[in-house]
Amino acid sequence: MPDKTSTPWLKTLLPALPLAAPQEWLRSAAGICLVVALTLAGDLWLFDPDLVLHLAPPLAASSVLLLAAASSPFARPWSVLAGNLLCASIGILLGSSGLATVPAAGLGAALALAGMFGLRCLHPPSCALALAVIFNWPELAPHGPAVLLPVAFNSLMLLALARGFNRLTRPPRHEPPRENIHQTRDPLPTERLEPRRAALDAALEDFGEYLDITREDLERLVRLLERHGFRHSLGQVVAADIMSRDLRWATPGTSLEQAWNLLREHRLQQLPVIDGASHRLLGIVSRSDLLKRARPGLIWPALGRSAQSDLGAVMSAPAIVVHQDTHLAELVLPLSEQGLHCLPVVDDGARLVGLVTQTDLIAALYRLWLQQLPA
């Protein structure tokens, strides 16, 4: 019976947990079939078949990275193109050097790895390409440096086909914008208490090993972990629990002056615009929208009349909305980083049922914080 100290080592012999759903396996397999077949067809049409077949095996390895691990640094265009051209050149130089095959192969692998590290184009199949050139040099020697032509063609074809296939078959990632909309040098509000980038750099330096994930994707993963952890800590609080229900709203036919008076009287920043009959949300209008329509020369905040003097002409549509069951954690980023003062809450019929303001969010978070304090 193994002791506890050997358990971690034994665990490394077991297969890793699956990181992709079965439909992703099928998608990647179909993509590799298509990409490899089309690339080889182009090769055989443009180049000598004997030359192509000697260089073809690394194609499959590159396809695996480009289709099944597209977020890996190994699958970046620079890594694929520069790595393949660099390692093929190393293979040509060592193949023509007269060295015996075994020492040439060992030296080629070492130079390929060092060169890719130096140029920041690490692509494992490129190392296999260097050895393929060295092992097959007697047949490739008549072509000389022209060996690089099919290598470049293969790299570009793989990149174009794999990128196109991934774009067509993978749902797009919907990430909220992370820019500072105020165009200042301040960090984003959610990043001011936690210098994530500095902490992430320090953690990567302490880890010390090469990670098969881009720094940007690692930072995105950390953000997702934080968001899920934050969601878990908040329990089951949703928009319907904290939203304002006694609303002030307008219709497309409401005049600009009436809308301004509503905003000023109730100290609001934004006003929902709904269809009066169905109560469906049509858009939203803010103070700045109304001030843009003020006639120059009038004393602020008096609102002048314009050729288009109703809200239907100035409202922002469609409005960014949330549903009644949207979790509290999903409200933080839109209200803190995207410049939104409020989020309309709609039901399944797109009818306005409430409004979550920045004040509502702050009050809810404060209340939850108080509940977590020790008695």
Side-chain angles (χ1 to χ4, degrees):
M1 177 175 167
D3 58 17
K4 292 184 178 180
T5 58
S6 64
T7 301
W9 180 83
L10 291 175
K11 286 183 177 179
T12 63
L13 302 179
L14 300 175
L17 293 174
L19 299 179
Q23 57 265 31
E24 176 65 13
W25 310 344
L26 296 175
R27 190 202 68 84
S28 300
I32 287 176
C33 177
L34 180 65
V35 168
V36 171
L38 290 177
T39 303
L40 281 177
D43 271 342
L44 294 172
W45 181 53
L46 292 173
F47 305 107
D48 184 347
D50 290 335
L51 173 61
V52 169
L53 295 178
H54 287 308
L55 302 174
L59 282 177
S62 293
S63 300
V64 170
L65 289 173
L66 289 169
L67 289 157
S71 61
S72 168
F74 300 153
R76 290 199 163 186
W78 171 251
S79 299
V80 176
L81 184 59
N84 282 344
L85 290 175
L86 170 69
C87 292
S89 300
I90 291 173
I92 292 171
L93 289 174
L94 290 175
S96 58
S97 67
L99 283 175
T101 301
V102 172
L107 182 59
L111 291 176
L113 183 60
M116 287 189 289
F117 267 126
L119 294 179
R120 301 178 67 179
C121 60
L122 199 61
H123 184 62
S126 299
C127 198
L129 180 62
L131 296 188
V133 173
I134 292 171
F135 290 151
N136 296 290
W137 185 247
E139 292 79 14
L140 299 178
H143 300 280
V147 169
L148 295 177
L149 294 178
V151 171
F153 174 80
N154 288 349
S155 302
L156 294 173
M157 278 286 286
L158 283 174
L159 286 170
L161 292 172
R163 285 277 172 124
F165 184 84
N166 286 336
R167 187 176 294 272
L168 290 174
T169 58
R170 272 183 174 160
R173 292 177 179 174
H174 296 289
E175 280 284 304
R178 302 288 297 174
E179 308 87 33
N180 186 333
I181 61 171
H182 302 293
Q183 303 300 315
T184 65
R185 291 190 294 271
D186 288 325
L188 293 172
T190 55
E191 296 179 353
R192 292 175 188 173
L193 291 179
E194 176 67 31
R196 182 186 293 117
R197 294 190 176 183
L200 190 58
D201 288 339
L204 289 173
E205 185 175 352
D206 287 345
F207 189 74
E209 297 180 24
Y210 188 90
L211 290 179
D212 187 10
I213 184 172
T214 64
R215 190 190 179 286
E216 294 79 9
D217 283 339
L218 183 58
E219 188 172 355
R220 177 174 172 267
L221 180 61
V222 171
R223 283 201 303 269
L224 289 173
L225 287 170
E226 290 174 345
R227 190 181 307 171
H228 284 288
F230 178 55
R231 181 184 181 120
H232 179 73
S233 69
L234 294 178
Q236 297 302 315
V237 181
V238 295
D241 298 324
I242 69 169
M243 68 185 184
S244 303
R245 299 172 184 269
D246 183 18
L247 306 180
R248 299 297 177 264
W249 45 265
T251 64
T254 301
S255 70
L256 303 188
E257 287 187 62
Q258 291 173 325
W260 177 263
N261 289 333
L262 279 171
L263 289 170
R264 185 174 58 178
E265 179 182 353
H266 297 282
R267 299 184 180 182
L268 303 175
Q269 295 295 326
Q270 294 178 314
L271 192 64
V273 182
I274 68 171
D275 179 78
S278 65
H279 222 69
R280 291 180 63 252
L281 182 70
L282 302 177
I284 197 163
V285 67
S286 67
R287 288 186 176 224
S288 61
D289 293 330
L290 296 180
L291 289 173
K292 289 175 185 177
R293 293 286 176 167
R295 180 179 297 172
L298 291 180
I299 299 176
W300 189 92
L303 189 68
R305 297 186 180 275
S306 65
Q308 296 175 318
S309 57
D310 56 47
L311 291 189
V314 301
M315 69 181 185
S316 300
I320 298 175
V321 301
V322 295
H323 293 273
Q324 298 178 80
D325 59 353
T326 300
H327 195 275
L328 178 60
E330 304 303 321
L331 307 176
V332 174
L333 288 181
L335 291 174
S336 64
E337 293 186 0
Q338 296 182 35
L340 303 179
H341 293 285
C342 66
L343 286 169
V345 184
V346 298
D347 61 14
D348 293 337
R351 292 180 293 270
L352 181 68
V353 295
L355 209 64
V356 176
T357 66
Q358 291 176 329
T359 304
D360 296 328
L361 178 65
I362 293 171
L365 293 175
Y366 175 69
R367 195 64 179 154
L368 290 169
W369 174 69
L370 288 178
Q371 292 175 4
Q372 294 177 5
L373 290 178

